[in-house]
Amino acid sequence: MSYGILQFSIHLFCVAVSFFALSAIRFDQFCDIRKPLKIQALLILFSMALGYLAAQLLLTLTVFNGL
């Protein structure tokens, strides 16, 4: 039970950090500026993907991986 809460909190933290880091990239230069909702959705999806990968890396490298 506590491992699940820890895993969820690490995933949430990594998604928040990746959202903060990806907000520095100016996606409006790459995308159509007349569609800001699509740019925001792209930013959220990228941050979720990057946060998931970072959290999986952290969980694999720690002692919480079941060894």
Side-chain angles (χ1 to χ4, degrees):
M1 180 71 173
S2 64
Y3 177 70
I5 293 171
L6 178 68
Q7 188 176 10
F8 178 74
S9 62
I10 289 174
H11 275 91
L12 192 62
F13 174 75
C14 287
V15 168
V17 168
S18 66
F19 183 78
F20 175 73
L22 285 175
S23 65
I25 298 174
R26 298 200 46 197
F27 285 104
D28 56 348
Q29 293 179 345
F30 307 115
C31 303
D32 189 10
I33 198 162
R34 294 174 298 215
K35 300 177 182 176
L37 187 62
K38 289 184 179 182
I39 296 173
Q40 290 172 352
L42 182 68
L43 177 63
I44 290 171
L45 289 175
F46 277 162
S47 66
M48 286 172 46
L50 184 62
Y52 174 78
L53 289 173
Q56 287 298 107
L57 176 71
L58 287 174
L59 288 172
T60 303
L61 293 177
T62 59
V63 295
F64 297 110
N65 63 356
L67 293 177

